[in-house]
Amino acid sequence: MLVGADHEAVRRRRSTALHGNMAITTWIWTTIGLLALCHSSVAYTKFPEGFTFGVATAAHQIEGAWNVSGKSENVWDRLSHSRPEMIIDGTNGDVACESYYRYQEDVEELEYLGVDFYRFSLSWARILPTGRIDQINPDGIRYYNDLLNALAEKNIEPLVTLFHWDLPQTLQDLGGWANPKMIDYFRDYSDVCFREFGDRIKSWITFNEPYEICEDAYGDDKKAPAIDSHGVGNYLCSDNLLKSHAESYHLYNEKYRPTQNGRIMISINSIWYEPSDPSNEEQVALAEVANQFKFGWFAHPIFTAEGGYPAVMVENVARQSAAEGLNKPRLEQFDEYWIQRIKGTSDFLGINHYTTHLITGAGLDPLAKSPSWLKDIGAVTTMEVGGDSASEWLRVVPTGFANLLRWCKSSYNDPPIYITENGFSDRGTLLDYGRISYFDAYLSEILNVIYDDGVKVLGYTAWTLMDNFEWRAGFSERFGFYHVNITDPARPRTAKLSAEYYKQLIANRELPQDARFKDPAVRK
């Protein structure tokens, strides 16, 4: 839309847009600040009646059995085998936690914790080895039926993710999520899953963390398939992914919901961006832009009344595309059919959140490629905030979580929210006081926004049940309640102190006050 505009017209438009963003975001940040200041002095510990707790895993990270019983290769199998140097510790998902063979033990661990639900994902390549419905693998169907039946015996509800990053390699060979045919393939895959398992699954998630799928896998090489088509492939991916999500939602809504009576949603992940200096209007405006680019990229088309990509995102990419000499923007707004088709296609807002980063000013971030999603934002970021974890990207900033939840309430018309992932990484200690402290602080902020701000958080999912294959970090970063010894072929699991913390939390529906969960160094 900016092709042919002179530079002065572009400058004037950018200035006007920035001032508009400042006015809106200054109001948002003022509101968030006032809400935080207006909190009562009560230290909330008790969760509301009906609040539910669970844990999450993902198929490729725990199942193993990568090439047995009819399962085909997926993109993470291909990456870890063909480019092993990309995995920090040289491990892979070939065996992982061996949950394909030891799912009964996993269910026993879940029963011990006392969880209300178990969030796990289905392996597309295990169910449909070609990625298409021309071949349905009976062993894949049997495995997930056995797992579902084992959960039912323990009265543990399944919360099931259709896609958690492990695309069949056969479909990646056709272009993966950059190929519009994926809309049909994903709808067909969804149909098989709804038909085979929907009598026992009442809660579905279409996609886990679409940002990671599109930006880190197609706009960069941080995740498989590591295409690194920065500034181009990531936006092709988001178009097809959001359309695929909508088609899966409408399929369930029209064909399966009347008899299965379930619900279906999407889990959107986000680092929360805050201004380094809340009194700096430019930083405040840029933080809002960054949050729209990160969270709004996938939330705005589904959860707002107007639908479509956030306006600031479309405008920024158009401006950058024009400056690059392109005839059309690298990201274009959906047409009216798809705006309406995508809008409203989630029964709840699923949020995966771990950390907060800061905006320090306008300009080109040192990590930004050209073109790229990061360059399109036009802001410089820093991770220099909060406490450390074993993951470079994960800083402990509990108040950022509360601000994200308040922002979602105000931005998306007060939606019902499930926290579908939240967790902390260390190097594998059994006395994991850092993890307990993280959970305690982040859960405390959830209680604050529930009671003081009226945010409709209905449930919480901890990442993760056991130490597993953490993608390119391999087993070097541990997030589990159970330690897994990967040097032992038997893959023994050992409960950490955090497992006892979470067990007590769930049993009492209250933040534990037991002194044994406090780091002795802090107690002194």
Side-chain angles (χ1 to χ4, degrees):
M1 73 183 76
L2 289 176
V3 175
D6 60 56
H7 291 297
E8 177 59 22
V10 172
R11 187 197 65 76
R12 285 196 303 269
R13 181 171 178 174
R14 183 175 188 181
S15 176
T16 301
L18 184 59
H19 278 291
N21 285 334
M22 282 184 180
I24 294 169
T25 55
T26 297
W27 176 83
I28 290 172
W29 276 96
T30 300
T31 302
I32 289 175
L34 287 172
L35 286 171
L37 289 172
C38 289
H39 284 169
S40 69
S41 59
V42 176
Y44 302 111
T45 61
K46 193 79 174 175
F47 284 84
E49 185 177 353
F51 193 94
T52 57
F53 292 94
V55 296
T57 62
H60 186 77
Q61 295 180 270
I62 66 167
E63 285 181 2
W66 80 276
N67 63 347
V68 302
S69 301
K71 178 187 170 295
S72 66
E73 182 185 38
N74 67 42
V75 293
W76 277 96
D77 295 323
R78 174 67 62 87
L79 182 73
S80 59
H81 294 156
S82 63
R83 302 172 68 183
E85 73 282 357
M86 292 191 71
I87 312 300
I88 288 174
D89 61 359
T91 59
N92 54 48
D94 292 5
V95 178
C97 302
E98 217 171 35
S99 287
Y100 183 76
Y101 300 107
R102 303 180 61 176
Y103 69 89
Q104 289 280 12
E105 186 175 344
D106 297 346
V107 173
E108 290 171 6
E109 293 162 2
L110 294 165
E111 182 185 29
Y112 179 78
L113 292 174
V115 297
D116 301 303
F117 64 89
Y118 176 40
R119 182 188 168 202
F120 65 95
S121 73
L122 304 175
S123 167
W124 192 337
R126 196 178 295 285
I127 294 171
L128 302 178
T130 67
R132 305 181 305 274
I133 55 173
D134 57 339
Q135 182 182 340
I136 299 175
N137 178 25
D139 284 326
I141 300 297
R142 174 199 54 76
Y143 170 67
Y144 292 115
N145 274 327
D146 288 347
L147 173 57
L148 287 167
N149 292 337
L151 291 170
E153 289 177 6
K154 304 297 185 181
N155 294 314
I156 299 170
E157 289 289 330
L159 170 58
V160 177
T161 306
L162 288 167
F163 185 75
H164 199 127
W165 306 0
D166 49 353
L167 188 69
Q169 185 61 41
T170 53
L171 297 185
Q172 185 56 46
D173 292 340
L174 300 177
W177 292 108
N179 181 355
K181 283 296 293 180
M182 285 297 299
I183 302 166
D184 295 330
Y185 295 144
F186 185 73
R187 186 184 188 279
D188 290 344
Y189 164 60
S190 300
D191 199 6
V192 171
C193 296
F194 295 151
R195 183 180 71 238
E196 296 291 337
F197 310 123
D199 59 323
R200 283 148 297 161
I201 299 172
K202 302 306 177 186
S203 298
W204 295 91
I205 295 171
T206 54
F207 289 95
N208 177 75
E209 299 187 352
Y211 169 88
E212 303 293 331
I213 299 167
C214 293
E215 174 56 25
D216 279 0
Y218 289 83
D220 210 325
D221 61 358
K222 296 176 183 176
K223 304 284 193 309
I227 299 300
D228 198 16
S229 175
H230 44 86
V232 179
N234 49 342
Y235 296 138
L236 294 175
C237 171
S238 66
D239 275 3
N240 295 322
L241 187 148
L242 281 162
K243 291 173 182 176
S244 298
H245 160 79
E247 290 306 297
S248 179
Y249 177 90
H250 287 296
L251 169 69
Y252 186 81
N253 201 45
E254 295 161 10
K255 184 176 180 181
Y256 292 100
R257 197 194 298 265
T259 56
Q260 295 181 358
N261 300 311
R263 55 191 181 176
I264 185 167
M265 61 181 169
I266 190 169
S267 287
I268 300 173
N269 68 301
S270 190
I271 289 168
W272 171 247
Y273 293 99
E274 294 194 352
S276 178
D277 176 5
S279 67
N280 184 309
E281 287 191 349
E282 182 181 57
Q283 288 183 17
V284 168
L286 288 168
E288 175 67 10
V289 172
N291 287 319
Q292 290 293 348
F293 262 78
K294 186 89 169 193
F295 199 92
W297 186 2
F298 297 96
H300 196 278
I302 297 171
F303 293 98
T304 63
E306 64 270 23
Y309 291 122
V312 68
M313 190 173 189
V314 174
E315 291 166 5
N316 277 22
V317 178
R319 183 174 63 251
Q320 290 286 352
S321 300
E324 294 153 11
L326 298 176
N327 292 325
K328 295 180 68 176
R330 288 177 280 103
L331 173 73
E332 293 185 274
Q333 186 60 275
F334 293 108
D335 63 26
E336 188 59 26
Y337 171 82
W338 280 110
I339 286 175
Q340 297 303 323
R341 186 73 172 166
I342 295 169
K343 192 168 62 173
T345 54
S346 193
D347 297 326
F348 301 91
L349 173 55
I351 297 177
N352 291 5
H353 175 76
Y354 291 85
T355 194
T356 293
H357 294 172
L358 299 180
I359 299 294
T360 60
L364 182 63
D365 193 284
L367 298 177
K369 301 174 183 178
S370 186
S372 66
W373 172 88
L374 194 53
K375 184 178 180 181
D376 290 335
I377 295 174
V380 180
T381 64
T382 179
M383 291 182 279
E384 296 303 314
V385 59
D388 294 328
S389 71
S391 306
E392 181 184 9
W393 55 270
L394 200 169
R395 312 289 294 189
V396 182
V397 191
T399 55
F401 193 16
N403 285 336
L404 169 63
L405 291 170
R406 295 184 192 105
W407 183 81
C408 286
K409 174 183 170 71
S410 64
S411 298
Y412 304 119
N413 194 31
D414 195 15
I417 293 170
Y418 278 89
I419 307 304
T420 42
E421 278 186 34
N422 179 238
F424 177 86
S425 63
D426 59 23
R427 299 300 180 189
T429 178
L430 294 179
L431 297 176
D432 52 344
Y433 295 110
R435 176 168 295 106
I436 293 171
S437 175
Y438 178 97
F439 281 133
D440 211 59
Y442 276 65
L443 285 163
S444 180
E445 290 296 343
I446 290 175
L447 288 172
N448 286 341
V449 300
I450 289 174
Y451 290 121
D452 289 340
D453 306 307
V455 181
K456 298 173 185 173
V457 183
L458 306 179
Y460 177 86
T461 318
W463 182 267
T464 177
L465 177 60
M466 68 194 103
D467 296 336
N468 56 39
F469 178 72
E470 283 294 338
W471 312 111
R472 285 190 58 190
F475 284 85
S476 68
E477 299 172 8
R478 304 295 186 105
F479 282 83
F481 286 120
Y482 285 81
H483 177 272
V484 177
N485 183 357
I486 65 165
T487 65
D488 186 333
R491 293 296 196 272
R493 287 97 148 114
T494 305
K496 303 175 187 178
L497 187 60
S498 61
E500 301 304 318
Y501 168 89
Y502 203 53
K503 176 182 175 65
Q504 188 177 122
L505 166 69
I506 296 172
N508 297 328
R509 306 287 151 161
E510 187 171 13
L511 294 178
Q513 304 301 307
D514 195 324
R516 67 191 174 116
F517 299 133
K518 306 297 181 184
D519 188 337
V522 175
R523 275 185 255 160
K524 293 177 183 178

